[in-house]
Amino acid sequence: MPTHNEALRDQACLIIHGPDQPGLVAAVTALITRHKANIVTLDQYSDNPEGGAFFQRVVFHRPELAAVFHELEADLAETLTPYGMTWKLTDQSVPKRMAILASTSDHCLLDLLWRHRRGELPVSIPMVISNHTNTAEDVRSFGIPFFHIPSQGPDKSAAEAEIVKLLAGNVDFVVLARYMQILSDDFITNVGVPVINIHHSFLPAFIGAGPYKKAKERGVKLIGATSHYVTKDLDEGPIIEQDVARVDHSMTAADMQQRGANVERAVLSRAVLWHAQDRVIRHGNHTVVF
Amino acid sequence: MPTHNEALRDQACLIIHGPDQPGLVAAVTALITRHKANIVTLDQYSDNPEGGAFFQRVVFHRPELAAVFHELEADLAETLTPYGMTWKLTDQSVPKRMAILASTSDHCLLDLLWRHRRGELPVSIPMVISNHTNTAEDVRSFGIPFFHIPSQGPDKSAAEAEIVKLLAGNVDFVVLARYMQILSDDFITNVGVPVINIHHSFLPAFIGAGPYKKAKERGVKLIGATSHYVTKDLDEGPIIEQDVARVDHSMTAADMQQRGANVERAVLSRAVLWHAQDRVIRHGNHTVVF
Amino acid sequence: MPTHNEALRDQACLIIHGPDQPGLVAAVTALITRHKANIVTLDQYSDNPEGGAFFQRVVFHRPELAAVFHELEADLAETLTPYGMTWKLTDQSVPKRMAILASTSDHCLLDLLWRHRRGELPVSIPMVISNHTNTAEDVRSFGIPFFHIPSQGPDKSAAEAEIVKLLAGNVDFVVLARYMQILSDDFITNVGVPVINIHHSFLPAFIGAGPYKKAKERGVKLIGATSHYVTKDLDEGPIIEQDVARVDHSMTAADMQQRGANVERAVLSRAVLWHAQDRVIRHGNHTVVF
Amino acid sequence: MPTHNEALRDQACLIIHGPDQPGLVAAVTALITRHKANIVTLDQYSDNPEGGAFFQRVVFHRPELAAVFHELEADLAETLTPYGMTWKLTDQSVPKRMAILASTSDHCLLDLLWRHRRGELPVSIPMVISNHTNTAEDVRSFGIPFFHIPSQGPDKSAAEAEIVKLLAGNVDFVVLARYMQILSDDFITNVGVPVINIHHSFLPAFIGAGPYKKAKERGVKLIGATSHYVTKDLDEGPIIEQDVARVDHSMTAADMQQRGANVERAVLSRAVLWHAQDRVIRHGNHTVVF
């Protein structure tokens, strides 16, 4: 059982989204007040006042939260069901369980492990899975289990099935920390939890192999990284966070890749933090980040 | 009478702050629902769930807003007075009236006038006042009245009195767009509306005259600008916005000053925009920017 | 005849590029020394020490530069021709003549005119040409000639010929300040001087019409702008400068476009400045910016 | 003996600074050509064409560099001594030896160790010294010696002497990676190699204890970090690099400190990289970074 985060004891986070209708915020906040909770932060946004979509994140403090959690959930179901809303209530003192999938590159992986150890990420990390073994020792030095699942040959289904088996029931979300295998639609369906990816991005885009070489040839002045939820359209899922770094002509493609790696780890760590704090609401192919 | 902004017709903004108490958000949102309005955006924040300060900004849409505005105000007064809250309701389709005070530098002044003309700033500009005349023609070419009030000699009280007289009742806030006169405490009191200032800022700080020269000598790599509300402690008021730009050894102090001017105009325009949109709440010596 | 810039009197800039060979820098700097000039700044870069390309920019100070300018050129020709180098010597006190082509949008156009008036851009502006008339009054208020050349119907050749006729012999480079007409290959050939363009750019790229709407739907967190030299491959020429600004879900496509406009004008003004200072060397499809 | 960096084999870096005089660049580049070397990059800058200071960094490639290194040095001494220049020639394939001094915080320390292991920093790390033991295991897991030198009581001279003894002859520069002890003037003198420090910085500055708390109370929107060479004026030495990160009202002082730590490690790693690549020239109280 994951260790509770004492600083967030008795703090709940409620996420709601669905078709906008008058009275929604009032109904929800009245419910929270009835349950003797105090609102700490509330962010609400409607993308169109007439017939648009409604998004709300509210963090509230309720002494003895654990004792009334199920009662709160039942009350929310009764209140929000008539409105046709999707919602989720979480106890913020319970860290989300995050699995990391990695390959040979360690920059994103180690950055996440280290931020976790420093207490920067409100998650537990039950496992790291890699199709290579080079990071095993580092991962285990953080006291985190490492599983090696090779992924060779054209048929990845056995490897994917093994990964799904390890993850099933044990994690709340998965992070692809430069995991260099294309995941099948079946995997995305079977894994059953959100999957966050990170990849480089450029202005303009350079499609196909060797993007840093192409970017160098075009003389780009910025290179970037994008973190997004994985959907069946590879690399086309809802964006969580992006950032860029400056480069210039004096840098080799390798220098640019190194700088890109630094942007990747910074962007991925922010995306993971915001997901873990229930700040990100998916809607269609985009996100609202509160 | 200022032209109404049709895009924001029937949209109200309510700002509330004061001692945090359970039930505040519920009470306010219930009131809004009772008045048949639909919440567009709501941001709420408490700086401490136990005994802290409460901040809320809510934008809502109410058909025929003008017809019910006073009724809404009366209802809010009745609801919020028992909680001891400070609050303000504004009709977002009514642009705030902004006076600009300037001296010889035109970079901040012209940037504001031009953004206004492009429709980027939801304000009207009833006047520009300067202690110099060099910008008169430019200002008037935007169709905006220009008043020259010289400020010579050690005693500024006559000039300040004249400025206060021009402003009285005609403006909702004042922007010091590189106005190079120190304003007296009396002026700040008598003007009776918020005053926004912009000044350069450096890491580390360089106090006194010739800051760009000192920054050059120390070899700083970043220069910045800070926009803040003016209080009786000169340049020490609550910060609204800040930004920086990179500089290097090859730049002269004059180059750095030019780059600093570009940061100043960008930062000031954002501070003005957010103030005009009622996004900034002052509290003690800091701000909450929603 | 353009006004000379006194601050840069007697300052020359020499740009050289071509196949890298040992002894090049020594030969050039010896020549400069022989001519009793003092080097102010020298930047040199080879993209590959073995068989790569050589790039050099050197700024030097020579009292009575005008008197020896042709002698310097002759000496440089004699020295550099055997090496097969491309080179150009300019008197930095002579501002480059820049024409601006614009359409209805004024954000890039006016930003350039202001910066020019404030002395931030070492150029003269002999003319602004637009296919619309809405900016005529503004342009002329800066004391700059405005020419209206409409561009209707599918055949743009007459309009393009008229533009080329206005530009011929009168300008050193052309800036497309959001000029919303596709220029023909013939135009690019006939104009005979460098043409600088600015366009929005996104991570990832959104091709075709309505890019801001598409970016909004994908939930991008950054929008950008790219300034480049125009080549026959539309929007694919060598990049001079790029930058980005953050956006979020609460912004409409129009808000994002407004923020994009601010990035565009900032990026274009830097590209123009660097070109005007002879800092940009084109090589293949990229640039070296010293 | 440190491992040589094969990618930089036969590449030399020459740094020169002193009083500007005509002919300097020509004399140096002629010398390089005479020695059959090819210039890869040359950056030169004079802060004033008349009577200013001269700065030059030139990287050149000379097959069999090691065999002619001393001959090159002798020739440079003969050429540059008459000009009164300070200069240094280094073989870029020999990594500089860097000692790290740390205390309990590990963010800067571990970031440097990782980057080093990934090959991002052209240095060797013969030792880490700390006045605490908490990072010992981590440091040693990188295969790097860890020495614990406690620093208690008001008299630090014994601890400082012990540190100097460990460093003497073994390192080329020292990095204070959040080493929370004030170093005496004697230490700075005795250590005999450059010392690089990192500290937080704010706009405006907040002097004394609890800067994050003060910054929070003032509502700053940016927090930063500055890396500089240590001089006898604590925290006032020549700045190498600076950067900032955005913060807002919703962050606690602890959140801001965490974000500040991320800026600190990024800024320090860039300062270390540039120092290790001989890109930084100190002059008076500032730096030229090529």
Side-chain angles (χ1 to χ4, degrees):
Chain A
M1 181 188 162
T3 316
H4 282 244
N5 184 331
E6 281 307 309
L8 299 174
R9 170 177 288 280
D10 292 333
Q11 207 155 290
C13 180
L14 172 63
I15 292 286
I16 306 173
H17 68 111
D20 192 12
Q21 293 144 80
L24 263 170
V25 181
V28 171
T29 53
L31 185 156
I32 291 168
T33 303
R34 271 204 315 276
H35 283 269
K36 300 185 195 324
N38 194 18
I39 294 174
V40 179
T41 310
L42 189 155
D43 294 291
Q44 184 273 335
Y45 165 69
S46 297
D47 62 8
N48 190 335
E50 296 176 27
F54 171 96
F55 304 89
Q56 183 179 319
R57 177 182 186 262
V58 51
V59 176
F60 56 88
H61 183 261
R62 169 59 167 85
E64 306 298 332
L65 176 67
V68 299
F69 198 83
H70 291 297
E71 200 181 326
L72 262 165
E73 285 194 314
D75 208 355
L76 282 164
E78 197 175 328
T79 301
L80 292 169
T81 305
Y83 287 103
M85 306 309 282
T86 302
W87 61 276
K88 193 174 66 168
L89 183 72
T90 51
D91 179 336
Q92 296 227 294
S93 72
V94 182
K96 285 195 170 41
R97 298 165 304 166
M98 169 176 87
I100 305 176
L101 268 63
S103 293
T104 52
S105 292
D106 66 358
H107 59 281
C108 287
L109 171 63
L110 291 183
D111 204 67
L112 289 173
L113 296 182
W114 176 65
R115 287 180 193 268
H116 172 249
R117 189 176 72 177
R118 276 168 64 80
E120 290 190 17
L121 298 176
V123 298
S124 64
I125 307 181
M127 70 188 78
V128 170
I129 297 170
S130 176
N131 56 332
H132 293 271
T133 56
N134 63 305
T135 60
E137 198 179 337
D138 276 329
V139 170
R140 288 177 182 143
S141 79
F142 282 92
I144 289 169
F146 175 92
F147 301 115
H148 176 227
I149 299 184
S151 183
Q152 278 149 346
D155 183 2
K156 314 289 186 194
S157 57
E160 288 193 349
E162 209 175 334
I163 295 172
V164 168
K165 203 170 154 192
L166 283 171
L167 299 175
N170 292 321
V171 302
D172 298 309
F173 71 110
V174 174
V175 175
L176 307 182
R178 302 300 290 149
Y179 181 66
M180 303 307 282
Q181 296 288 319
I182 294 172
L183 295 167
S184 69
D185 289 2
D186 278 356
F187 179 85
I188 304 302
T189 304
N190 294 335
V191 75
V193 294
V195 179
I196 295 173
N197 190 28
I198 180 77
H199 63 75
H200 50 66
S201 29
F202 296 91
L203 298 158
F206 298 99
I207 311 298
Y212 283 98
K213 188 167 172 296
K214 288 175 187 159
K216 167 85 182 155
E217 283 163 8
R218 181 75 198 284
V220 301
K221 308 305 181 194
L222 293 177
I223 54 172
T226 296
S227 183
H228 64 97
Y229 288 112
V230 175
T231 59
K232 292 183 181 180
D233 293 318
L234 182 73
D235 287 353
E236 297 287 329
I239 293 170
I240 306 171
E241 172 63 337
Q242 304 186 289
D243 212 341
V244 295
R246 290 193 85 83
V247 293
D248 66 36
H249 63 267
S250 74
M251 302 174 83
T252 62
D255 292 335
M256 286 169 55
Q257 191 154 2
Q258 194 174 91
R259 187 149 307 183
N262 283 311
V263 185
E264 284 170 8
R265 63 179 175 134
V267 168
L268 181 60
S269 74
R270 291 203 291 271
V272 165
L273 176 64
W274 297 340
H275 177 82
Q277 293 177 328
D278 289 306
R279 293 184 177 278
V280 191
I281 307 182
R282 291 169 67 161
H283 179 70
N285 203 34
H286 67 270
T287 64
V288 168
V289 182
F290 281 129
Chain B
M1 178 188 164
T3 317
H4 282 244
N5 183 332
E6 281 307 308
L8 299 175
R9 171 177 287 279
D10 292 334
Q11 206 155 293
C13 181
L14 172 63
I15 291 285
I16 306 172
H17 68 111
D20 192 12
Q21 293 143 82
L24 262 170
V25 182
V28 171
T29 54
L31 184 158
I32 291 169
T33 303
R34 272 204 315 276
H35 282 270
K36 301 185 194 324
N38 194 18
I39 294 174
V40 178
T41 310
L42 189 154
D43 293 291
Q44 183 272 336
Y45 166 69
S46 297
D47 62 7
N48 189 335
E50 296 176 27
F54 171 97
F55 305 89
Q56 183 178 321
R57 177 182 186 263
V58 51
V59 176
F60 56 87
H61 184 262
R62 170 59 167 87
E64 306 298 333
L65 176 67
V68 299
F69 198 83
H70 292 297
E71 198 181 328
L72 261 165
E73 285 194 314
D75 208 353
L76 282 163
E78 197 174 329
T79 301
L80 292 168
T81 305
Y83 287 102
M85 306 309 283
T86 302
W87 61 275
K88 193 174 65 168
L89 183 72
T90 52
D91 180 337
Q92 295 227 294
S93 72
V94 182
K96 285 195 171 40
R97 300 165 304 167
M98 169 176 87
I100 305 176
L101 267 64
S103 292
T104 51
S105 292
D106 66 358
H107 58 280
C108 286
L109 171 64
L110 290 183
D111 204 66
L112 290 173
L113 295 182
W114 177 65
R115 287 179 193 267
H116 172 249
R117 190 177 73 176
R118 277 168 62 81
E120 291 190 16
L121 297 176
V123 299
S124 65
I125 307 180
M127 70 187 78
V128 169
I129 298 169
S130 176
N131 56 331
H132 294 271
T133 57
N134 62 305
T135 61
E137 198 179 338
D138 276 329
V139 169
R140 287 174 183 146
S141 80
F142 283 91
I144 289 169
F146 175 92
F147 302 114
H148 176 226
I149 299 184
S151 182
Q152 278 148 348
D155 184 3
K156 314 288 184 194
S157 57
E160 287 193 348
E162 208 175 335
I163 296 172
V164 168
K165 204 170 154 191
L166 283 169
L167 299 174
N170 292 321
V171 303
D172 299 309
F173 72 109
V174 173
V175 176
L176 307 182
R178 303 298 291 149
Y179 182 66
M180 304 308 282
Q181 295 289 320
I182 294 172
L183 296 167
S184 70
D185 289 1
D186 278 355
F187 179 86
I188 304 302
T189 304
N190 294 335
V191 75
V193 293
V195 178
I196 294 173
N197 190 27
I198 180 76
H199 64 74
H200 51 66
S201 31
F202 297 91
L203 296 159
F206 298 99
I207 310 297
Y212 284 98
K213 188 164 173 297
K214 287 175 189 160
K216 167 86 183 155
E217 283 162 7
R218 181 73 198 284
V220 301
K221 307 305 179 193
L222 295 177
I223 55 172
T226 296
S227 183
H228 64 97
Y229 288 111
V230 175
T231 58
K232 293 184 180 180
D233 292 319
L234 181 72
D235 287 353
E236 298 288 329
I239 294 169
I240 306 171
E241 172 62 337
Q242 304 185 290
D243 212 342
V244 294
R246 291 193 84 82
V247 293
D248 67 36
H249 63 267
S250 73
M251 303 175 83
T252 62
D255 292 336
M256 285 169 55
Q257 191 154 2
Q258 194 174 88
R259 186 147 308 183
N262 283 312
V263 185
E264 284 169 9
R265 63 179 174 134
V267 168
L268 181 60
S269 74
R270 291 202 292 271
V272 165
L273 176 64
W274 297 340
H275 177 83
Q277 292 177 329
D278 289 306
R279 292 183 178 279
V280 190
I281 307 181
R282 291 169 67 161
H283 179 70
N285 203 34
H286 68 270
T287 63
V288 167
V289 181
F290 281 129
Chain C
M1 181 187 164
T3 317
H4 282 244
N5 183 332
E6 281 307 309
L8 300 174
R9 171 177 287 279
D10 292 333
Q11 205 156 292
C13 180
L14 171 64
I15 291 286
I16 307 172
H17 68 110
D20 192 12
Q21 293 144 83
L24 262 170
V25 182
V28 171
T29 53
L31 184 157
I32 291 169
T33 302
R34 273 204 314 277
H35 283 269
K36 300 186 195 321
N38 195 16
I39 295 174
V40 179
T41 309
L42 189 156
D43 292 291
Q44 184 271 337
Y45 166 70
S46 297
D47 61 7
N48 190 335
E50 298 177 26
F54 172 96
F55 304 90
Q56 183 178 320
R57 176 182 187 262
V58 51
V59 176
F60 56 87
H61 183 262
R62 169 60 166 86
E64 305 299 331
L65 176 67
V68 299
F69 198 84
H70 292 297
E71 197 180 326
L72 260 166
E73 285 193 315
D75 208 353
L76 282 163
E78 196 174 327
T79 302
L80 291 169
T81 304
Y83 288 103
M85 305 309 283
T86 302
W87 61 275
K88 194 175 63 169
L89 183 73
T90 51
D91 180 336
Q92 295 227 294
S93 72
V94 182
K96 286 194 168 45
R97 300 164 303 166
M98 168 175 88
I100 304 176
L101 269 63
S103 293
T104 51
S105 291
D106 68 355
H107 59 281
C108 287
L109 170 63
L110 290 184
D111 203 66
L112 290 173
L113 297 181
W114 275 342
R115 288 180 192 267
H116 173 248
R117 191 175 70 177
R118 268 206 292 277
E120 292 189 17
L121 298 175
V123 299
S124 66
I125 306 181
M127 68 188 79
V128 170
I129 298 170
S130 176
N131 58 331
H132 293 270
T133 57
N134 62 305
T135 60
E137 198 179 339
D138 275 329
V139 170
R140 288 175 181 145
S141 79
F142 284 89
I144 289 169
F146 175 94
F147 302 114
H148 176 225
I149 299 184
S151 183
Q152 277 149 348
D155 184 3
K156 315 287 186 195
S157 58
E160 288 193 349
E162 208 175 336
I163 295 172
V164 168
K165 204 170 155 191
L166 283 169
L167 300 175
N170 292 321
V171 303
D172 298 309
F173 70 110
V174 174
V175 176
L176 307 182
R178 304 297 292 147
Y179 182 66
M180 304 308 281
Q181 296 288 319
I182 294 171
L183 296 168
S184 69
D185 289 1
D186 279 356
F187 178 86
I188 304 302
T189 304
N190 294 335
V191 74
V193 293
V195 179
I196 294 174
N197 190 27
I198 179 76
H199 62 75
H200 50 66
S201 28
F202 296 92
L203 297 159
F206 299 100
I207 310 297
Y212 284 98
K213 188 167 172 292
K214 287 175 188 160
K216 166 85 183 158
E217 282 162 7
R218 181 73 199 285
V220 302
K221 308 305 180 194
L222 294 177
I223 55 174
T226 296
S227 184
H228 63 98
Y229 289 112
V230 175
T231 59
K232 293 185 181 182
D233 292 319
L234 180 74
D235 287 354
E236 298 288 327
I239 294 170
I240 306 170
E241 172 62 337
Q242 305 185 290
D243 212 341
V244 294
R246 291 194 84 83
V247 294
D248 67 36
H249 64 267
S250 73
M251 302 174 83
T252 63
D255 291 336
M256 286 169 56
Q257 191 154 2
Q258 195 175 88
R259 186 150 305 185
N262 283 311
V263 186
E264 285 169 9
R265 63 180 176 130
V267 168
L268 181 60
S269 74
R270 291 203 290 270
V272 165
L273 176 64
W274 298 341
H275 177 83
Q277 293 177 330
D278 289 306
R279 293 183 178 279
V280 191
I281 307 182
R282 289 168 68 161
H283 179 69
N285 203 34
H286 68 269
T287 63
V288 167
V289 181
F290 281 130
Chain D
M1 180 188 165
T3 316
H4 281 244
N5 184 331
E6 281 307 307
L8 300 174
R9 171 177 287 280
D10 291 334
Q11 205 154 292
C13 180
L14 172 64
I15 291 286
I16 306 172
H17 69 113
D20 193 12
Q21 293 144 82
L24 261 171
V25 181
V28 171
T29 54
L31 185 156
I32 290 169
T33 302
R34 273 203 314 277
H35 284 268
K36 303 184 192 323
N38 194 17
I39 294 175
V40 179
T41 310
L42 189 155
D43 293 291
Q44 184 272 335
Y45 166 69
S46 297
D47 62 7
N48 191 335
E50 298 176 25
F54 172 96
F55 304 90
Q56 183 179 319
R57 177 182 185 263
V58 52
V59 176
F60 56 88
H61 183 262
R62 169 62 166 84
E64 305 298 333
L65 176 67
V68 300
F69 198 83
H70 291 299
E71 199 181 324
L72 261 165
E73 285 193 315
D75 208 354
L76 283 163
E78 198 175 326
T79 302
L80 292 169
T81 304
Y83 287 104
M85 306 308 282
T86 301
W87 61 276
K88 194 175 64 168
L89 182 72
T90 52
D91 180 337
Q92 295 227 294
S93 71
V94 182
K96 285 193 171 42
R97 300 164 304 166
M98 169 176 87
I100 305 175
L101 268 63
S103 293
T104 52
S105 292
D106 67 357
H107 59 282
C108 287
L109 170 63
L110 291 183
D111 204 66
L112 290 173
L113 296 182
W114 276 342
R115 289 181 193 268
H116 172 249
R117 191 175 71 176
R118 269 205 291 277
E120 292 189 17
L121 298 176
V123 298
S124 65
I125 307 181
M127 69 188 79
V128 170
I129 298 170
S130 176
N131 56 332
H132 293 271
T133 57
N134 62 305
T135 60
E137 199 179 338
D138 275 330
V139 170
R140 287 175 182 146
S141 79
F142 284 89
I144 290 169
F146 175 92
F147 302 114
H148 176 226
I149 299 184
S151 183
Q152 277 149 348
D155 184 2
K156 315 287 187 195
S157 58
E160 289 193 347
E162 209 176 336
I163 295 172
V164 168
K165 204 169 154 191
L166 284 169
L167 300 175
N170 292 320
V171 303
D172 298 310
F173 70 110
V174 174
V175 176
L176 307 182
R178 302 299 290 147
Y179 182 65
M180 304 306 282
Q181 296 288 320
I182 295 171
L183 296 166
S184 69
D185 289 2
D186 278 354
F187 179 87
I188 304 302
T189 304
N190 294 335
V191 74
V193 293
V195 179
I196 294 174
N197 190 26
I198 180 75
H199 63 73
H200 50 67
S201 31
F202 296 92
L203 296 160
F206 298 99
I207 310 297
Y212 284 98
K213 188 167 173 293
K214 287 175 189 158
K216 166 85 183 158
E217 283 163 7
R218 182 75 198 283
V220 301
K221 309 304 182 194
L222 294 177
I223 56 173
T226 296
S227 182
H228 64 99
Y229 288 112
V230 175
T231 58
K232 292 183 182 182
D233 292 320
L234 181 73
D235 287 354
E236 297 288 328
I239 293 170
I240 306 170
E241 172 63 337
Q242 303 186 290
D243 211 341
V244 294
R246 291 193 85 83
V247 293
D248 67 36
H249 64 268
S250 73
M251 301 174 85
T252 62
D255 292 335
M256 287 168 56
Q257 190 154 2
Q258 194 174 89
R259 187 150 305 184
N262 283 311
V263 185
E264 285 169 8
R265 62 180 177 132
V267 168
L268 181 60
S269 74
R270 291 203 291 272
V272 164
L273 176 64
W274 299 340
H275 177 83
Q277 293 178 327
D278 289 306
R279 293 184 176 280
V280 191
I281 307 182
R282 290 168 66 162
H283 180 70
N285 203 34
H286 67 271
T287 63
V288 168
V289 181
F290 281 130

